[in-house]
Amino acid sequence: MEVNVGITCYPTYGGSGIVATELGLELANRGHEVHFISYANPIRLDPDTPRIHYHEVEVSTYPLFQYPPYSLALASRMAEVAAMYRLDLLHVHYAIPHSISALLAQQMTRRRRLPFITTLHGTDITLVGADRSYFPITRFSIEQSDGITAISEYLQKKTADFFGVKKEIRVIKNFVNCDIYRPLEDRPAASQYAPRGEKLLIHVSNFRPVKRVLDCIRILAEARRQAPAHLLMVGDGPERGPAEQLARELGVDRHVSFLGKQNHVERIFPLAHVLLMPSELESFGLAALEGMACGVPPVATRVGGVPELITDGEDGFLEAPGDVAAQARRVAQLLLDESLHARVSSAARQTAETRFCTSKIIPLYEDYYKQISESV
Ligand code: GMT
C-alpha cells in the first residue's frame, strides 16, 4: 500500500530532523508520496526529489506576540495540506510542539479522521518534556497520538515509566543508508586535516551541554600523549566557543579543526579512525551509527540507549560519562593497535549492515503506517 504522508520535524541540524528527513527520502524512494511540513526545508532534503513535497509554515508576527505562535501556524498548515493533498496520516518527529499541532490539525480536518503518529527521539522526553511547564502537555499529546514510536527500548521504557503512558509505544530503532554511509576502500594515510599522517578522531553533534563536547578536547589531549592524533569537530552549538577556548588552554588548538555544520558528513566520517561520543545521555546515538556504517569504531558512554547500538569490546567501546581517562585509553588503543582497529572497524560496519540498515528498518515504519491507518 502506497501512503500519502505528512512529515513534520525540526528542519535544523539535530538527530530527530535527520531521521525524519532520511525516512521521508527512503519512503519516497519506495513509491510513497511524502509531504514535509515545517518552517524551513530540512537540511538533508533535496525538494527536487521525486515524490517529495515541501510545504513551508509561515509564522507571522505581531507586536502583541512576544512569542510568535508557531504551533498554531503549523497546525493550520498541516490541516490545509492534509485536505489539499488528501493525506492518509501525519507523522511528527519530536513531541514538542509537533504532536499538539498534529492533534489540532486532526480536529480541524472535517473529512474522515486523520491519524497521527508521534516519534519520540529523546530530549523531547528526557529534558524538555520533563520540564514542569511542558510535562502535562507532552503527556497529553503522547496519549492522544494514534501511534507512538520510540527510537530505542530505553526511550520506550523511560516514556512509559515517567509519563505513565499505558498505550503501546512501538520501538523502531534509528537507521542508516549503508550504501551512502560506507568505509573507503583505502583510508588515506594523510588528508587535508592531517597532512603529517596523524590519525583522525571525529565528533559530530549539535554541541549542546548534554553532548559533553569539552570531554572530546580533553580526550584528544590525553590520547595525544600516546599517539599523534587530530580531532575533527563537526557541528555547531553553544559549547563550541568553550571547546575552542579549552583547546587553547590545553595547548592542542593546532590539533583540532572545528568544521561547523556540514551537509555531507558521509564524506568526512570515512576519513576518521575513531568516533568520540562522550555524551551525558543519548537515547540512541545516531552519529555513532553513521560512523559505524563508515567503519569508524566509536568510543562512547554507557548511557541511555547507546548499549542497544554498541556492544562494548566488539563493535566499539563504552565507558562511564565523564571518565575522560578511560575513554582516552580506548582511543589510544585503537590508534596504536592496528589489528584491534581492523577487528572493531569491521564489526562496527557489520552491526550497521545487519541490524540498522534502511532495508531492515523502513519496512517497520511502512507496516506501522498500515496498522495505524487501518485502526482509525
Ligand atoms: O541530541 C541530539 O543530537 C538532538 C536530538 C534531536 O532530537 O534532534 O537527538 C535525539 O534524537 C536522535 C535521533 O533519534 C538520537 O540519536 C539522539 O540520541 C537523541 N539525543 C538524546 O537523547 C540526547
Side-chain angles (χ1 to χ4, degrees):
M1 172 189 106
E2 259 94 63
V3 294
N4 203 6
V5 58
I7 293 185
T8 290
C9 62
Y10 283 106
T12 46
Y13 289 79
S16 58
I18 290 169
V19 170
T21 307
E22 300 283 3
L23 171 63
L25 290 168
E26 295 290 339
L27 289 169
N29 227 340
R30 289 162 170 262
H32 305 286
E33 293 290 331
V34 182
H35 297 259
F36 280 89
I37 310 168
S38 188
Y39 63 82
N41 189 62
I43 44 148
R44 289 195 190 174
L45 188 75
D46 175 359
D48 290 334
T49 314
R51 292 181 291 281
I52 289 283
H53 315 269
Y54 166 60
H55 309 275
E56 190 151 310
V57 179
E58 282 185 36
V59 196
S60 33
T61 169
Y62 182 70
L64 194 59
F65 298 157
Q66 188 175 353
Y67 307 104
Y70 174 64
S71 327
L72 303 184
L74 174 61
S76 298
R77 195 77 178 113
M78 282 170 158
E80 233 169 58
V81 173
M84 198 175 304
Y85 295 90
R86 303 193 57 76
L87 297 188
D88 297 312
L89 78 161
L90 295 171
H91 184 181
V92 302
H93 291 257
Y94 210 91
I96 306 167
H98 304 144
S99 200
I100 277 295
S101 301
L103 177 62
L104 288 174
Q106 179 181 72
Q107 292 177 357
M108 290 164 73
T109 305
R110 267 188 243 113
R111 64 177 188 95
R112 66 170 184 80
R113 197 158 183 270
L114 174 69
F116 74 97
I117 293 172
T118 301
T119 288
L120 308 171
H121 282 271
T123 50
D124 46 352
I125 298 301
T126 55
L127 295 180
V128 190
D131 186 285
R132 216 164 47 85
S133 45
Y134 298 115
F135 182 90
I137 197 136
T138 306
R139 181 172 57 195
F140 179 68
S141 71
I142 293 171
E143 279 169 350
Q144 295 299 312
S145 302
D146 297 289
I148 314 159
T149 79
I151 46 88
S152 62
E153 274 144 36
Y154 158 81
L155 191 59
Q156 174 200 49
K157 186 164 181 334
K158 186 94 195 163
T159 310
D161 292 351
F162 193 61
F163 289 96
V165 174
K166 298 274 179 296
K167 275 182 155 175
E168 186 213 357
I169 302 173
R170 178 76 56 95
V171 175
I172 304 184
K173 296 197 176 173
N174 284 340
F175 55 87
V176 65
N177 185 321
C178 292
D179 296 329
I180 297 175
Y181 288 78
R182 56 177 190 194
L184 290 174
E185 298 277 298
D186 275 313
R187 206 185 259 107
S191 68
Q192 62 177 119
Y193 305 114
R196 274 172 247 98
E198 308 94 306
K199 291 193 172 150
L200 291 175
L201 315 182
I202 191 168
H203 172 76
V204 181
S205 82
N206 52 13
F207 286 51
R208 306 230 167 252
V210 71
K211 303 290 175 183
R212 296 189 68 97
V213 174
L214 301 190
D215 282 0
C216 295
I217 309 292
R218 298 187 183 106
I219 293 166
L220 170 78
E222 203 63 49
R224 276 189 57 84
R225 293 176 208 269
Q226 297 183 57
H230 188 94
L231 172 62
L232 301 179
M233 297 289 278
V234 181
D236 214 330
E239 292 292 280
R240 177 170 170 172
E244 287 170 337
Q245 167 74 20
L246 180 64
R248 282 192 292 274
E249 281 166 20
L250 297 182
V252 292
D253 47 322
R254 279 185 304 117
H255 307 295
V256 187
S257 301
F258 287 88
L259 303 183
K261 294 173 180 174
Q262 294 286 326
N263 282 339
H264 290 285
V265 283
E266 76 280 5
R267 295 178 194 162
I268 307 174
F269 271 125
L271 302 173
H273 271 74
V274 180
L275 175 131
L276 305 182
M277 195 174 70
S279 305
E280 188 70 36
L281 183 60
E282 280 302 336
S283 298
F284 183 86
L286 182 66
L289 173 59
E290 292 181 339
M292 289 164 80
C294 296
V296 187
V299 172
T301 42
R302 193 177 291 104
V303 291
V306 178
E308 295 172 45
L309 167 66
I310 299 169
T311 307
D312 185 33
E314 282 181 27
D315 49 19
F317 290 104
L318 297 176
E319 299 294 348
D323 194 342
V324 167
Q327 291 172 67
R329 257 195 315 274
R330 292 303 189 191
V331 169
Q333 271 175 352
L334 285 163
L335 296 183
L336 294 169
D337 183 341
E338 273 179 28
S339 74
L340 173 74
H341 185 274
R343 173 173 68 75
V344 181
S345 162
S346 121
R349 168 73 191 177
Q350 179 79 355
T351 295
E353 265 181 335
T354 55
R355 296 177 49 212
F356 298 102
C357 122
T358 45
S359 58
K360 298 256 174 328
I361 306 290
I362 305 300
L364 303 180
Y365 276 112
E366 292 179 310
D367 291 349
Y368 197 54
Y369 284 1
K370 187 160 179 286
Q371 180 191 322
I372 296 301
S373 307
E374 287 171 359
S375 71
V376 294

